[in-house]
Amino acid sequence: MSNKTIEKKITATFQYLHENAEISWEEVQTTKYIEGILRESGCVVRTFDDCTGVIGDYGNFNGDLPIVAVRADIDALWQEVDGVFQANHSCGHDAHMSMVLGLLWRLEQEKDLADKVAVRFIFQPAEEKGAGALKMVEKNVVDDVDYLFGIHLRPMQETKMGHAAPVIVHGATKTYKGIIKGEDAHGARPHLNHNAIEIGTQLVNMIRQIHIDPLVPHSVKMTALQSGGESANIIPGKATFSLDLRAQTNEAMEMLDSKVNHAIDTLKNLYETDIELKSTGEIAAAKLNSDAIEIMETAIEDSLGKEGVDGPLQTPGGDDFHYYTIKKPSLKATMLGLGCDLKPGLHHPKMIFDKKALLNGTDILYKAVKNVYSL
């Protein structure tokens, strides 16, 4: 298989995955599509009865070789695009899958590599729910793994085309859904209930006054508040809301989370109203490994030149990739941050990027794997 053929396959794969996006835990056709490619390339394939996602082992797993895993997230977001809600790959997971499959084709291209490497391809579901990595850990997919590499497209505000960072220093995130539980009252009798909109507004004011160490980036904000109906003369007693918490370290997240819950308890006592708070997602901050970062940095330099190597990329965004290292601390892991002229930004419904970056990402991953084995 020539480099030109691989390039065409990567581009065609991206186009198919982009046009056939599936949301978290529903990536059924995506799983089948990737499974077929893995089998065609001679991988030992594993799927699961109770969840989507697929694992492919390529190379020599019978000897003493270190096992290198490469993870691609496979789910899309559910969002409004041109007035229609649909599954949409606005976070670049279609690109991640295409580049990781490109890595497989590059390895397959060199027939003599099959006995010299042991590479596990992890196509993981439900990253957008912050739950897919934990499910894969539960399935023991990294129990015997020594190195783990990930990849993520980066917006142009963070790095530019032709550049890449050997590590993305993600922060911790946590989301909540809340319900303010009360009864409605007549607009002329505000003394008969507590206005759920006013309670929600009070919560916004309270969380804006939360302060922790200013040297550690953090934020907490209300991202949804729904209350009331068509009748303007009814004071609503019930409301639903969402909260989004972010902190650069796991320790800061614990403190932020504690203060948010304290604010909720304070409001419950002040208004004598039941407020139910339920966690809907949680992602841990990155744990860094110098060995993996050094391997990836060398791979970037070998692929893009020394001028293409960026420093560690710190971002308030989160990724459940880091649960692999939290659950297995001995794992040497890092996530490549790929410059690709991505705009206007991740999760924007019209997100676009330079498709030539797919070849850069594939080549960097290929060189990183070879670097592990000193090939």
Side-chain angles (χ1 to χ4, degrees), residues 176-181 239-241 264 268 273-279:
Y176 281 111
K177 287 282 188 183
I179 303 175
I180 300 168
K181 298 180 177 180
T240 60
F241 63 89
I264 295 290
K268 289 165 69 173
T273 300
D274 185 18
I275 303 177
E276 179 183 301
L277 197 65
K278 181 180 179 182
S279 175

Side-chain angles (χ1 to χ4, degrees), residues 240-294:
T240 60
F241 63 89
S242 299
L243 299 176
D244 178 276
L245 289 67
R246 300 193 177 250
Q248 198 59 52
T249 67
N250 294 317
E251 294 75 18
M253 175 56 75
E254 288 180 14
M255 187 175 298
L256 197 63
D257 187 46
S258 175
K259 289 181 178 292
V260 167
N261 277 273
H262 180 69
I264 295 290
D265 290 339
T266 300
L267 286 174
K268 289 165 69 173
N269 294 328
L270 177 63
Y271 289 98
E272 298 179 340
T273 300
D274 185 18
I275 303 177
E276 179 183 301
L277 197 65
K278 181 180 179 182
S279 175
T280 55
E282 186 174 4
I283 295 176
K287 295 288 186 181
L288 308 186
N289 180 270
S290 58
D291 290 345
I293 293 171
E294 183 178 346

Side-chain angles (χ1 to χ4, degrees), residues 51-70:
C51 70
T52 45
V54 57
I55 310 299
D57 285 350
Y58 179 86
N60 179 9
F61 283 74
N62 298 318
D64 297 325
L65 292 173
I67 296 175
V68 180
V70 185

